[in-house]
Amino acid sequence: RNLAQAHAGKNIYEDLQIAYAKRLTEVTLETAADYAEQRQFEKAIQVLEEAASECGNSQLWNAIEEYKQYLPRSLSDCQILSTNDGVELGQVANDPFGHTYPNAIVFDEAYRIESYVTFYLGGRFLKLSGCFVGHEDMYYKEEVECKIYADGILIFESGYFSRTSSPVEIEIDITGVD
């Protein structure tokens, strides 16, 4: 009889564990969805990772992978649809003031006037941030201007800057941009 009671107790304990993991998964997915709706993807992932480490449900891991798609990343990681000669991605650039910019998009001086690069974003990103800076290899009197288009519409224009200009910081809403 004690063996039967122990076995029954074990079954009840296992049933409670399963019910707990199921409820934890449900609540966590709802909470993460709320954060994601507010565009707080880092917080959504954190909540999911905490619960996944406890119960390891595949639904939680799948949601983590989904929300990671919305985290900030470099343009050099995105698909390039078109570009022309003289564009180098993922470079380390230096300005004349001794500042280093990792993961830069560098336009070769021979092509700067007409250089462009088109990225496919797939509507997965919320903002584009970074800075435009005159590269140390620019000619002293050379001036350049950067323009950003989103689905064919001009959304940013830097104005002209040179190698001695201060960096032009940007943070642009690109929600839904392909």
Side-chain angles (χ1 to χ4, degrees), residues 131-152:
C131 69
F132 294 108
V133 62
H135 192 273
E136 68 182 351
D137 292 338
M138 286 176 67
Y139 300 116
Y140 279 95
K141 295 192 183 231
E142 179 182 17
E143 290 186 324
V144 295
E145 180 180 39
C146 295
K147 297 179 182 180
I148 298 175
Y149 293 85
D151 297 333

Side-chain angles (χ1 to χ4, degrees), residues 38-52:
Q38 299 168 30
R39 303 295 197 199
Q40 295 180 26
F41 297 107
E42 293 92 350
K43 188 67 175 167
I45 291 168
Q46 178 186 2
V47 166
L48 289 163
E49 286 176 337
E50 288 171 6

Side-chain angles (χ1 to χ4, degrees), residues 28-76:
T28 302
L29 289 170
E30 290 171 11
T31 302
D34 289 343
Y35 281 122
E37 190 174 304
Q38 299 168 30
R39 303 295 197 199
Q40 295 180 26
F41 297 107
E42 293 92 350
K43 188 67 175 167
I45 291 168
Q46 178 186 2
V47 166
L48 289 163
E49 286 176 337
E50 288 171 6
S53 68
E54 190 171 330
C55 69
N57 184 303
S58 64
Q59 288 178 291
L60 299 173
W61 293 113
N62 292 339
I64 290 167
E65 290 307 310
E66 177 186 343
Y67 292 138
K68 280 184 177 179
Q69 294 179 31
Y70 295 94
L71 291 176
R73 52 194 283 207
S74 170
L75 282 174
S76 62

Side-chain angles (χ1 to χ4, degrees), residues 88-176:
E88 297 180 40
L89 291 117
Q91 300 296 305
V92 174
N94 299 305
D95 69 17
F97 309 109
H99 301 106
T100 300
Y101 302 88
N103 214 9
I105 300 170
V106 177
F107 296 96
D108 185 278
E109 70 266 3
Y111 301 95
R112 269 197 274 271
I113 300 296
E114 299 295 325
S115 291
Y116 70 91
V117 61
T118 305
F119 297 96
Y120 177 67
L121 305 178
R124 296 181 308 158
F125 301 95
L126 303 176
K127 69 179 177 178
L128 174 65
S129 61
C131 69
F132 294 108
V133 62
H135 192 273
E136 68 182 351
D137 292 338
M138 286 176 67
Y139 300 116
Y140 279 95
K141 295 192 183 231
E142 179 182 17
E143 290 186 324
V144 295
E145 180 180 39
C146 295
K147 297 179 182 180
I148 298 175
Y149 293 85
D151 297 333
I153 298 168
L154 180 66
I155 61 170
F156 177 81
E157 197 167 357
S158 70
Y160 286 93
F161 62 94
S162 69
R163 67 178 279 149
T164 58
S165 298
S166 297
V168 178
E169 299 284 338
I170 63 165
E171 187 166 306
I172 302 167
D173 180 8
I174 57 168
T175 303

Side-chain angles (χ1 to χ4, degrees), residues 10-27:
K10 181 180 175 196
N11 288 341
I12 292 170
Y13 177 73
E14 288 172 354
D15 290 346
L16 287 173
Q17 280 184 311
I18 292 168
Y20 171 75
K22 182 178 178 184
R23 183 65 182 143
L24 177 63
T25 299
E26 291 171 0
V27 170

